[in-house]
Amino acid sequence: MFRRTFIALSAAAAFTSAPAFADGHSKDIVDTAVGAGNFTTLVAAVQAAGLVETLKGDGPFTVFAPTDEAFAALPEGTVETLLKPENKEQLTAILTYHVVGGKVMSGDLSDGMMATTVQGGDLKIGTEGGVTVNDANVVAADIEASNGVIHVIDQVILPAS
């Protein structure tokens, strides 16, 4: 079951990331996310938190990127509240909890491994019955960018308070 899921995820990642591969990974993580079209909320949050230049930097970074649907699943008003300037610190903490230093490809993952985020918290990786990060499912993996890799997740993951 895991092998079939992994192969399906890898195939989906290769298909959805084809534009990034066409020019030899010349797009950084931010430009890759913008080009994908299903990370508009994430990109807006990265802009509001002032993290664009960081995620356009040399890296490498591994980003567990929630889709627009993942953000929409949060309680009503949560995203709007987080995007307010007075909540920049909280937004930054949430976003940097989705980023791990280094380029971690799906083949590098093992069940039960812990990954320390840029925010300082740890993410628990699961590989039984599909790849998970904390409670979020990885729905597309190994979308390469010039300065790292994106793994698409179906939930916004929150650091411990």
Side-chain angles (χ1 to χ4, degrees):
M1 172 67 178
F2 173 71
R3 172 172 278 205
R4 186 173 34 214
T5 302
F6 179 75
I7 291 169
L9 289 175
S10 297
F15 177 76
T16 59
S17 61
F21 290 130
D23 53 6
H25 311 298
S26 66
K27 292 182 180 179
D28 59 48
I29 286 175
V30 174
D31 292 338
T32 301
V34 168
N38 59 339
F39 301 110
T40 56
T41 306
L42 177 62
V43 171
V46 166
Q47 291 170 335
L51 295 173
V52 172
E53 289 307 311
T54 300
L55 291 175
K56 284 180 153 292
D58 291 338
F61 304 106
T62 298
V63 177
F64 295 98
T67 61
D68 290 336
E69 293 79 17
F71 279 101
L74 292 172
E76 188 174 333
T78 301
V79 173
E80 293 79 9
T81 300
L82 286 171
L83 292 176
K84 292 180 180 179
E86 61 267 23
N87 297 321
K88 183 178 179 179
E89 187 175 314
Q90 184 181 9
L91 178 62
T92 300
I94 291 169
L95 292 174
T96 56
Y97 189 64
H98 289 78
V99 180
V100 173
K103 186 175 181 180
V104 182
M105 302 300 286
S106 59
D108 301 326
L109 304 175
S110 61
D111 194 51
M113 79 180 281
M114 302 298 284
T116 301
T117 68
V118 172
Q119 178 265 353
D122 289 323
L123 299 174
K124 184 175 182 182
I125 307 297
T127 59
E128 296 295 320
V131 179
T132 58
V133 180
N134 288 2
D135 293 326
N137 296 303
V138 175
V139 296
D142 299 337
I143 301 172
E144 292 191 69
S146 64
N147 62 345
V149 62
I150 298 171
H151 302 293
V152 182
I153 57 176
D154 66 353
Q155 293 181 35
V156 176
I157 49 179
L158 301 173
S161 298

